[in-house]
Amino acid sequence: MAKNTSLYFRIVEGRNLPAKDVSGTSDPYCIVKVDNEVVARTATVWKNLNPFWGEEYTLHLPMGFHSLSFLIMDEDTIGHDDVIGKITLSKEAIGSQAKGIDSWLNLTTVDPDEDVQGEIHLSLQLPEGTKKTILRCQVIEARDLAPRDISGTSDPFARVIFNNRSAETSIIKRTRFPHWGETLELELDSEGLSGQQGTVTVEVWDWDMVGKNDFLGKVEIPFSCLHKTSLLEGWFRLLPLGNNEVDVGGKLGALRLKVRLVEDRILPSMYYQPLIDLLVESLISPAEVEDSSALTMLEEVTTVESRQDVAMTLVKIYLGQGLVVPFLDYLNTREVNHTTDPNTLFRSNSLASKAMEQFMKAVGMLYLHEVLKPIINRIFDERKYIELDPCKIDLNRSRRISFKGAVSEAEVRDSSAEMLQGYLTSIIESIVSSVDQCPSVMRVAFKQLHKRVEDGEPTFISKQIDHGFFFLRFFAPAILTPKLFHLRDQHADTRTSRTLLLLAKALQSVGNLGLQLGHGKEQWMAPLHPIILRSVACVKDFLDKLIDIDHDVGEVPQRAILLPSVIVKEGYLHKHKAEGTQLLSRFAFKKRYFWLTSETLSYAKTSEWQVRSSIPIRCVCAIERVDENAFQQQNVMQVISQNNDGQLQTMYIQCKNVNELNQWLSAIRKVSIYNERMLPSFHPGAHRSGKWTCCLQAERTVPGCSRTHSAVTLGDWIFVKILFSSLAVPLLDTRCLCQSVAARLLVVIEDLEQAHVTFQHREKEDSPSVILNP
């Protein structure tokens, strides 16, 4: 049974941050760490003490975590960035809130003694048969220690302390992964041995030639544990000194956060098959009574709050079964049959509407990028001041349009209308010429939707529905917030955001077939009305061509969206040159264009280059970060693969920022999650000058000194379990539904719960009797 931990967090905004620059402001950004590993970085908000970010992230952590930290930094063009403050939330604190955390939290000062990380491998025992009673502690090795020196490494040594006596290991220079292999012994007096109280403490320090040593972490082991076992050995997580973070009463400002923790245990997939069978049965063998299928029952009892999660889960399940189009057709047919007013069709947040939205995002994201990304990039690059609303025009922010004098409001409006018309024309032209680029499964789904609506409503209404989904729920939201659709790495600034908002409004009017033009409050949008009305005919023709496809519902190829040819991720990265070169680190990385599919990771000089090198995904053994000290470069990852001779090969790739690094790590891990030959350990450094830069071992084939992070994400079985477990009680209370189907669902849920309890019981039996600092 697999464990799954998911963290959902949103960095909303900050307030009353202190000024770090001479100008009296700051340039704040936020770094997010999970157990001291950087997982995300927000955009920098320039010259603002009350920044708004609104950035959200989801992390899947199969191995769990201990703490989540948010560091607010002030970006400096010259020198190191300044630390403003931090917030640290323990896993227990997050998990104690059933609905998660959503509040303002004061920033606290950063204490280096509390910023520890890593683990240490120890073996402790009270040997028998010796003349004197001694405590023997073998300090074997440590991994992933915090860097304390300017070189990005540390000079660690360990100290064992008990009953006012201590012993130290030797100092290992310039490493965060030291191997000591030393045995330290402390002689115990009769008083220390008779009472089983007290604590054995193992501290790790960074040795400094000048000044005091830096604290790297500690482990505390109750002395009584050594009497319960002859040998206590294992990896122990290093803990901070235990000083409480100092809340300076909001003097460092505050951060508004939304954090939610979801934990569950996932059974092997075969245990969930009965649930899948019930869902498939709703489509393959429709019930004689319309409201008696499992899918119908699910729709009836789903709450408004959970509808989007339920829709996302069902879309993924039916995609995996190759039945996503029949699934959407089933929901859309019910929506049409149960709607009395044609004007409200698909207007509410029904399960059918949400499922169509999630389906378009799941299968159409690459298509969306092909259509919109060039234009979005152009808008961001040009960053023009555009405004049509007379109440919001700021003449001081506009560039000089005329050399005759000050710019007038009319000139700003005319210039803005001209630029918006140009952008909108490019967007419409790109959309209406993209019929062949649209995924076939998406075209078939819209063809079936059009047919169902047309059968029940006038043709005019069916065209409105098609336009509404395609423009109002797909293209317009992507233009409004490009970052949320991965069209940009960062949010738009204030000026660009306004341009995107105006374009999204105009595109919504096109999606509404221009019906509401001139009737709303925003009469200042009138300069765009002619181009909107001219675009309606082109868009109607586009939708007609889009649904003109020969495939029927039952003829859509199984797993059509998961074909190997589909590109999961692509873009320019920097690849390290072949091993053996002695170039300086900054010249050793060459720009290459990478493509990731479900079968290969390939690269070439440019995106148009015909000759490509590739690594089969089935040969990938590990995908991990690389320590900064390896090449003196940040945001480097490594892909370890096994060739036909069974030898391991490593390719080092540099990303432009930590967010891009995490995206590529996650993407490659997802497509290789079912590989059988994944490595349990790896070297976070590189083998250079005859030794590993991480653990300083000379042998190239020595086992890795750090744990791998395989299985970053799990399948959708977790959603199925949560979904149906939460629906068990509503199913009992729904009298209008077929009791036989409800009974079958409840039997399946009870079987799952029993299997869950059984697996938990096995885990407890297999777990060690003593667990310290897991």
Side-chain angles (χ1 to χ4, degrees):
M1 182 167 63
K3 296 180 181 179
N4 185 71
T5 300
S6 295
L7 258 180
Y8 305 87
F9 57 90
R10 186 168 191 250
I11 306 161
V12 186
E13 57 185 322
R15 69 180 179 192
N16 301 329
L17 300 182
K20 290 290 184 178
D21 300 335
V22 294
S23 61
T25 62
S26 291
D27 306 313
Y29 65 91
C30 182
I31 290 176
V32 186
K33 293 184 177 182
V34 173
D35 292 342
N36 289 289
E37 180 176 332
V38 177
V39 297
R41 182 200 191 277
T42 69
T44 301
V45 181
W46 302 99
K47 301 185 182 301
N48 200 318
L49 300 181
N50 298 282
F52 177 83
W53 290 287
E55 299 191 19
E56 53 187 71
Y57 303 87
T58 300
L59 297 177
H60 300 290
L61 306 164
M63 301 178 67
F65 73 106
H66 299 282
S67 64
L68 176 68
S69 300
F70 301 86
L71 276 81
I72 303 299
M73 309 288 292
D74 168 56
E75 183 167 337
D76 288 333
T77 306
I78 301 175
H80 294 287
D81 294 348
D82 301 318
V83 179
I84 295 177
K86 71 177 293 189
I87 294 170
T88 300
L89 301 172
S90 66
K91 178 183 176 182
E92 293 72 24
I94 302 171
S96 64
Q97 305 292 325
K99 295 184 178 181
I101 297 172
D102 183 1
S103 62
W104 285 94
L105 300 173
N106 287 338
L107 293 171
T108 61
T109 56
V110 177
D111 184 353
D113 290 340
E114 297 298 302
D115 191 18
V116 303
Q117 65 185 64
E119 300 168 311
I120 187 169
H121 190 185
L122 302 172
S123 173
L124 296 96
Q125 64 178 144
L126 298 173
E128 299 178 355
T130 57
K131 294 182 180 179
K132 296 181 180 180
T133 304
I134 60 174
L135 166 64
R136 180 174 296 162
C137 177
Q138 185 179 10
V139 184
I140 304 171
E141 58 184 321
R143 60 191 179 196
D144 197 30
L145 299 178
R148 289 287 190 253
D149 298 337
I150 194 171
S151 62
T153 61
S154 291
D155 304 319
F157 68 92
R159 178 185 297 151
V160 181
I161 306 171
F162 179 69
N163 202 22
N164 296 322
R165 301 189 181 187
S166 65
E168 296 180 357
T169 67
S170 59
I171 300 169
I172 308 294
K173 297 288 189 68
R174 297 178 63 83
T175 180
R176 295 172 52 237
F177 300 83
H179 282 251
W180 289 289
E182 299 182 20
T183 300
L184 306 178
E185 294 183 348
L186 298 179
E187 184 177 341
L188 304 180
D189 53 30
S190 56
E191 295 181 1
L193 185 63
S194 59
Q196 294 188 9
Q197 299 180 353
T199 301
V200 179
T201 303
V202 180
E203 298 176 345
V204 183
W205 293 82
D206 166 51
W207 176 82
D208 285 334
M209 180 179 295
V210 179
K212 66 176 185 177
N213 297 331
D214 300 314
F215 180 72
L216 293 175
K218 69 175 181 178
V219 173
E220 293 183 338
I221 302 171
F223 186 70
S224 59
C225 291
L226 300 180
H227 290 274
K228 297 177 182 179
T229 177
S230 59
L231 179 66
L232 182 63
E233 181 179 352
W235 284 94
F236 299 87
R237 185 170 66 95
L238 292 172
L239 302 176
L241 278 176
N243 301 331
N244 294 326
E245 291 186 341
V246 180
D247 186 343
V248 291
K251 292 183 179 179
L252 296 179
L255 186 63
R256 187 185 173 196
L257 298 171
K258 292 183 179 181
V259 184
R260 184 163 60 96
L261 173 66
V262 176
E263 288 189 295
D264 211 294
R265 288 175 167 81
I266 316 303
L267 298 170
S269 60
M270 61 182 178
Y271 287 90
Y272 297 98
Q273 195 57 46
L275 289 177
I276 302 300
D277 293 341
L278 276 173
L279 291 173
V280 170
E281 183 181 301
S282 300
L283 305 179
I284 302 299
S285 304
E288 295 181 3
V289 181
E290 184 185 0
D291 293 330
S292 62
S293 71
L295 192 53
T296 302
M297 195 173 300
L298 182 60
E299 182 183 12
E300 292 290 340
V301 300
T302 302
T303 62
V304 176
E305 294 77 12
S306 63
R307 200 157 288 160
Q308 180 158 318
D309 291 337
V310 171
M312 176 187 66
T313 301
L314 291 174
V315 166
K316 289 183 178 180
I317 290 173
Y318 283 113
L319 271 172
Q321 298 297 312
L323 293 170
V324 69
V325 175
F327 159 66
L328 294 171
D329 183 48
Y330 182 96
L331 292 182
N332 293 337
T333 302
R334 281 181 51 81
E335 177 86 3
V336 172
N337 293 341
H338 288 77
T339 302
T340 56
D341 183 0
N343 294 315
T344 64
L345 191 60
F346 292 104
R347 293 290 182 177
S348 63
N349 289 323
S350 63
L351 186 59
S353 299
K354 290 296 183 184
M356 284 295 292
E357 284 183 21
Q358 296 302 320
F359 165 72
M360 289 189 293
K361 289 181 180 179
V363 306
M365 194 62 73
L366 294 174
Y367 164 60
L368 182 79
H369 280 218
E370 290 179 6
V371 174
L372 291 183
K373 195 165 187 177
I375 306 167
I376 295 295
N377 287 341
R378 182 176 133 212
I379 295 171
F380 270 75
D381 293 341
E382 292 180 356
R383 198 174 169 269
K384 294 180 178 179
Y385 177 71
I386 294 177
E387 186 55 76
L388 295 179
D389 187 351
C391 299
K392 295 184 178 180
I393 289 179
D394 184 355
L395 298 180
N396 294 324
R397 295 177 59 186
S398 61
R399 293 182 179 178
R400 182 176 297 276
I401 300 174
S402 172
F403 292 98
K404 297 179 180 179
V407 179
S408 67
E409 183 178 304
E411 288 176 314
V412 172
R413 280 176 52 81
D414 291 343
S415 173
S416 298
E418 182 180 351
M419 288 185 285
L420 285 173
Q421 289 169 2
Y423 288 143
L424 187 59
T425 299
S426 298
I427 292 173
I428 296 297
E429 288 177 351
S430 182
I431 292 175
V432 298
S433 62
S434 66
V435 173
D436 295 334
Q437 297 168 268
C438 186
S440 59
V441 66
M442 196 168 172
R443 296 180 63 184
V444 173
F446 271 95
K447 175 183 179 180
Q448 198 65 19
L449 171 65
H450 182 87
K451 181 177 182 298
R452 294 302 181 193
V453 177
E454 195 173 41
D455 290 344
E457 303 295 343
T459 303
F460 178 73
I461 298 296
S462 64
K463 287 187 178 294
Q464 273 191 299
I465 299 301
D466 296 342
H467 286 73
F469 272 119
F470 223 75
F471 287 87
L472 275 63
R473 298 187 183 229
F474 191 49
F475 284 119
I479 291 173
L480 183 62
T481 53
K483 186 178 186 300
L484 299 185
F485 288 78
H486 308 296
L487 289 165
R488 297 288 296 187
D489 293 331
Q490 296 185 351
H491 286 295
D493 57 25
T494 305
R495 175 178 291 190
T496 306
S497 292
R498 183 60 181 171
T499 301
L500 297 175
L501 175 61
L502 294 173
L503 287 172
K505 285 177 178 290
L507 198 63
Q508 286 177 334
S509 296
V510 174
N512 285 324
L513 305 179
L515 297 178
Q516 304 299 323
L517 291 183
H519 300 290
K521 298 179 180 179
E522 299 175 341
Q523 296 298 319
W524 42 265
M525 289 284 289
L528 297 182
H529 289 178
I531 189 173
I532 291 173
L533 293 174
R534 288 197 303 270
S535 301
V536 170
C538 299
V539 168
K540 286 181 179 179
D541 182 61
F542 161 71
L543 262 300
D544 289 338
K545 292 178 181 178
L546 191 79
I547 61 176
D548 184 16
I549 186 169
D550 294 333
H551 288 291
D552 247 339
V553 177
E555 297 177 1
V556 179
Q558 292 279 316
R559 308 188 185 263
I561 195 59
L562 302 176
L563 291 174
S565 59
V566 172
I567 298 174
V568 177
K569 191 169 179 61
E570 63 179 311
Y572 277 105
L573 300 170
H574 286 80
K575 177 187 172 294
H576 191 264
K577 294 196 68 175
E579 296 179 4
T581 57
Q582 300 298 320
L583 294 173
L584 294 175
S585 296
R586 61 177 178 172
F587 299 116
F589 286 88
K590 297 298 182 183
K591 190 174 182 179
R592 294 292 182 265
Y593 197 88
F594 279 78
W595 297 266
L596 174 65
T597 72
S598 57
E599 286 196 342
T600 61
L601 174 65
S602 55
Y603 60 92
K605 285 187 176 182
T606 66
S607 57
E608 293 82 19
W609 203 263
Q610 297 300 316
V611 180
R612 300 184 185 181
S613 302
S614 63
I615 298 174
I617 292 299
R618 68 178 185 277
C619 297
V620 173
C621 302
I623 314 97
E624 300 294 334
R625 298 169 185 265
V626 176
D627 195 59
E628 183 178 341
N629 188 54
F631 300 105
Q632 300 300 318
Q633 298 286 329
Q634 295 180 334
N635 307 315
V636 178
M637 66 178 177
Q638 57 181 305
V639 179
I640 305 174
S641 59
Q642 193 172 42
N643 61 19
N644 295 331
D645 299 329
Q647 296 179 335
L648 296 180
Q649 298 176 326
T650 304
M651 179 168 64
Y652 297 100
I653 304 170
Q654 185 181 29
C655 304
K656 62 183 178 182
N657 54 50
V658 67
N659 289 342
E660 184 180 64
L661 172 65
N662 286 323
Q663 290 168 9
W664 275 96
L665 284 171
S666 179
I668 302 174
R669 286 171 180 168
K670 284 178 181 177
V671 297
S672 61
I673 190 171
Y674 297 116
N675 287 7
E676 297 179 354
R677 295 178 291 183
M678 301 302 285
L679 297 176
S681 61
F682 78 107
H683 287 285
H687 197 271
R688 304 176 64 189
S689 303
K691 63 182 179 182
W692 288 100
T693 59
C694 45
C695 57
L696 308 182
Q697 299 293 303
E699 185 63 39
R700 180 184 290 273
T701 58
V702 69
C705 56
S706 188
R707 290 182 301 176
T708 53
H709 300 79
S710 58
V712 163
T713 185
L714 297 173
D716 296 314
W717 309 111
I718 179 173
F719 298 108
V720 180
K721 178 187 183 302
I722 294 173
L723 178 65
F724 282 90
S725 296
S726 63
L727 290 174
V729 174
L731 285 172
L732 288 172
D733 296 336
T734 307
R735 298 178 182 177
C736 63
L737 301 178
C738 177
Q739 293 301 310
S740 61
V741 178
R744 290 173 62 193
L745 274 173
L746 292 176
V747 168
V748 170
I749 292 169
E750 290 172 359
D751 290 344
L752 279 171
E753 293 299 333
Q754 183 59 47
H756 191 265
V757 171
T758 302
F759 271 87
Q760 279 187 309
H761 182 66
R762 290 179 187 173
E763 283 184 349
K764 290 181 180 179
E765 289 181 343
D766 296 338
S767 62
S769 56
V770 178
I771 301 178
L772 300 172
N773 300 338

